[in-house]
Amino acid sequence: MIEERVKGQPLDRQGSPFNRGIILTLILVATFGGMLMQTSLGTAMPTLMNDFNVLLATGQQATTWFLLANGIMIPVSAYLATKFSTRWLYLIAYAILWVGMFAAYSAPTSAWNVFLAARILQAIAVGISMPLMQVVLVNMFSPKQMGAVMGTMGLVIGLAPAIGPTYAGWILDKNHVILGFTLEQSWRTIFLIPMLVITICWVLMLIFMRDIVPNRDVSLDFLSLLESVLGFGLFLWGFTNVASDGWDNLQTVILPIIAGVAIIAIFVRRQLHMKNPFLDVSVFKNKQFALTTVVMALSMMAMMGVEMMLPLYMQQVHGLSPLSSGLTLLPGALMMGIVSPLAGAAYDKVGVKRLARVGFTILAIGTIPFIFLTTTTPEHFITVLYGLRMFGIAMVMMPLTASAMNALAREQSAHGTAANSTARQVASAVVVALLSSVTQNIITHSQPAASLKDSNPLAFAGDMLEAMLKGYHASFALGLSFALFGLILSFFLQGHVAKGKKEVGGVK
């Protein structure tokens, strides 16, 4: 925890005073710009598929490869946060993010791999900055403030991915003129505004950012790094190939997943026997931290189970424009932004168990009707359901994060954050790949014969819509199963853990 003067003025690691409010604002705004990249391409997927001439199984790689690289980098973040200056880590991470955004913006439509490489660069940067944000906040604020602080952080972790589809739809609707500059109606423009936000924040960080997280001279264990990258990389890569290659592909799906699990097991065993582990997985010996992390991963899977597929459903089944499909999701995103800080404040008073039970119940109730959507379901009804789901998500996400971190000693915050964030990103990557594959496979096996398109175009169109509905119903049903599983596990959570937690060098 940062040391403080008698008057309560916070000091950085060099003993210089700094403004917590300015640093908190810069971190939240910059991380919001990075997290916006996680889901903003969901609404733009049909446009990307058309411009790059790729199928859904290939197009979804823009999201799954982002999550894959993000998941690989997060375990490394614990070492980076412990070893290097907070200020320089942020500056380097956001410089990488800017380069990745620019590369995606300028990628030629004949080079899908260039676009994917740009997405990977963005993911590497977010994989450093997102968990670092959590570590910095844990070290800037006391446990008594953690619920409210994590609720504010929910504006980034929850709201940015939730508002991404609406933002992309707005961009793709028409040309926009802002301050005399014309934003073209193109998926490329999606990257421009975040690039501007990152540029401004980067310059301000040069002035205001300080070294807050305690550093020590730890050596990099290259074998652990290699095991981490290979293990999580192969595991997630196998899942990203499911949609395009199918579950029965031995070389690109089954073997990578099995090899990834085996290497991760070796990695975990090695970390448990190291004096200074690369990633301290012993944090999972804390039952409250482990259970809370699992429940939070399920909440992410339940959220992504609908959030990634709903824009496609709205555009392909209802024929809506990208903007209209994005606006359908906007109230839910706003709900997330409103409820997250309130849920964080409520956590400080009532604990995580009650909030999780109520939140998952609302989430499940809001998801059930999605399984029965039709081609004529009113858009406003879908908007209400989606808003209800996001209300439930907001009630559980940040309280679960705060509970997980409060279950650990403050000196474990960097490794706890890395472990917690890794579980969340791995869950997100797996569920996006899983749902894309399930949806695509069901549509492929249910679609009418190509000959019907010539003999009876109207019948072909109707049968094709029914095939799409079956695929989307299956993905929504999986989203419901994650919500129900999370509800069951929430009954085993503890109430308040911060009260009995031993403070380590911090302000109580």
Side-chain angles (χ1 to χ4, degrees):
M1 180 71 178
I2 53 175
E3 296 184 11
E4 303 198 6
R5 295 183 190 272
V6 176
K7 294 183 180 181
Q9 174 67 48
L11 304 177
D12 64 15
R13 288 301 165 189
Q14 285 74 42
S16 301
F18 68 91
N19 189 306
R20 272 192 297 207
I22 292 178
I23 290 181
L24 175 63
T25 302
L26 282 176
I27 290 175
L28 291 176
V29 172
T31 307
F32 185 95
M35 290 292 290
L36 197 65
M37 294 294 95
Q38 182 170 312
T39 58
S40 58
L41 296 185
T43 307
M45 188 57 64
T47 305
L48 284 171
M49 290 163 58
N50 181 65
D51 285 6
F52 282 96
N53 193 27
V54 296
L55 299 174
L56 173 62
T58 302
Q60 58 90 24
Q61 292 176 352
T63 297
T64 54
W65 277 84
F66 181 98
L67 295 172
L68 185 155
N70 198 221
I72 291 174
M73 280 303 301
I74 288 175
V76 183
S77 68
Y79 165 79
L80 296 176
T82 303
K83 174 76 173 180
F84 298 105
S85 154
T86 306
R87 180 173 181 268
W88 280 106
L89 266 183
Y90 266 122
L91 291 173
I92 292 172
Y94 287 123
I96 295 173
L97 179 60
W98 193 95
V99 171
M101 290 180 179
F102 181 77
Y105 168 80
S106 56
T109 54
S110 59
W112 174 250
N113 288 337
V114 172
F115 185 79
L116 283 184
R119 292 287 288 165
I120 290 173
L121 273 180
Q122 296 166 31
I124 289 173
V126 175
I128 297 172
S129 62
M130 184 180 68
L132 183 59
M133 171 181 66
Q134 196 165 316
V135 178
V136 169
L137 296 188
V138 167
N139 281 272
M140 278 206 305
F141 297 93
S142 70
K144 293 181 180 179
Q145 301 169 300
M146 200 50 57
V149 170
M150 289 297 176
T152 304
M153 195 178 81
L155 293 172
V156 172
I157 293 181
L159 182 59
I163 207 171
T166 305
Y167 163 71
W170 175 73
I171 291 293
L172 294 172
D173 179 57
K174 61 181 180 180
N175 291 344
H176 299 278
V177 179
I178 299 179
L179 299 177
F181 295 94
T182 300
L183 299 179
E184 295 184 0
Q185 180 186 1
S186 168
W187 58 264
R188 298 181 187 278
T189 309
I190 293 173
F191 298 98
L192 283 183
I193 295 178
M195 285 170 62
L196 176 61
V197 171
I198 294 302
T199 300
I200 295 173
C201 288
W202 194 89
V203 172
L204 292 175
M205 281 183 175
L206 276 175
I207 302 171
F208 295 106
M209 181 55 67
R210 301 298 177 86
D211 294 330
I212 296 170
V213 179
N215 296 132
R216 64 178 188 271
D217 189 20
V218 293
S219 59
L220 176 62
D221 184 70
F222 285 100
L223 182 56
S224 293
L225 174 62
L226 181 63
E227 289 172 348
S228 173
V229 171
L230 281 179
F232 288 105
L234 285 172
F235 178 76
L236 295 174
W237 180 64
F239 273 97
T240 63
N241 293 330
V242 168
S244 57
D245 300 343
W247 285 101
D248 58 348
N249 191 296
L250 183 65
Q251 293 182 333
T252 61
V253 176
I254 297 176
L255 286 180
I257 291 176
I258 293 176
V261 171
I263 295 174
I264 290 173
I266 295 172
F267 169 77
V268 169
R269 186 176 184 275
R270 177 177 175 79
Q271 302 313 299
L272 290 173
H273 289 83
M274 292 180 66
K275 183 178 180 181
N276 296 305
F278 175 77
L279 177 64
D280 187 4
V281 294
S282 67
V283 292
F284 285 106
K285 293 181 179 180
N286 184 309
K287 294 181 180 179
Q288 175 69 7
F289 175 85
L291 179 58
T292 306
T293 299
V294 170
V295 175
M296 187 177 63
L298 286 168
S299 72
M300 285 295 297
M301 296 175 82
M303 182 179 76
M304 301 291 281
V306 171
E307 188 170 282
M308 293 303 298
M309 306 309 296
L310 192 56
L312 286 171
Y313 160 81
M314 300 297 292
Q315 293 180 51
Q316 293 184 339
V317 177
H318 281 251
L320 296 184
S321 67
L323 176 60
S324 296
S325 65
L327 287 175
T328 302
L329 309 184
L330 180 58
L334 296 178
M335 181 69 72
M336 187 81 167
I338 294 171
V339 177
S340 287
L342 298 177
Y347 164 78
D348 291 330
K349 296 180 180 180
V350 304
V352 71
K353 188 171 185 176
R354 294 180 186 176
L355 290 173
R357 284 187 297 184
V358 174
F360 274 112
T361 299
I362 294 173
L363 176 60
I365 292 173
T367 305
I368 291 174
F370 280 92
I371 303 174
F372 304 100
L373 294 181
T374 67
T375 58
T376 58
T377 302
E379 282 82 19
H380 64 268
F381 179 65
I382 297 174
T383 298
V384 172
L385 289 177
Y386 185 74
L388 184 64
R389 292 188 82 257
M390 297 309 286
F391 184 92
I393 289 289
M395 285 194 68
V396 302
M397 188 170 292
M398 286 306 102
L400 286 170
T401 303
S403 178
M405 299 314 298
N406 278 342
L408 300 174
R410 194 174 300 279
E411 60 192 8
Q412 296 177 296
S413 62
H415 289 275
T417 296
N420 185 273
S421 300
T422 298
R424 183 169 57 232
Q425 290 307 109
V426 168
S428 298
V430 168
V431 77
V432 170
L434 176 64
L435 295 182
S436 297
S437 66
V438 168
T439 303
Q440 184 67 67
N441 287 339
I442 291 178
I443 292 175
T444 300
H445 288 94
S446 302
Q447 66 186 11
S451 58
L452 184 62
K453 187 175 183 179
D454 296 325
S455 61
N456 193 337
L458 288 178
F460 177 85
D463 291 347
M464 194 66 203
L465 282 177
E466 288 300 320
M468 289 181 181
L469 275 175
K470 289 180 181 179
Y472 291 124
H473 286 165
S475 66
F476 297 150
L478 284 173
L480 173 62
S481 68
F482 298 134
L484 292 175
F485 194 20
L487 176 60
I488 293 171
L489 291 183
S490 68
F491 283 86
F492 298 94
L493 294 170
Q494 296 178 20
H496 275 290
V497 296
K499 291 181 180 179
K501 176 186 170 182
K502 182 181 178 180
E503 294 297 311
V504 181
V507 178
K508 295 185 179 181

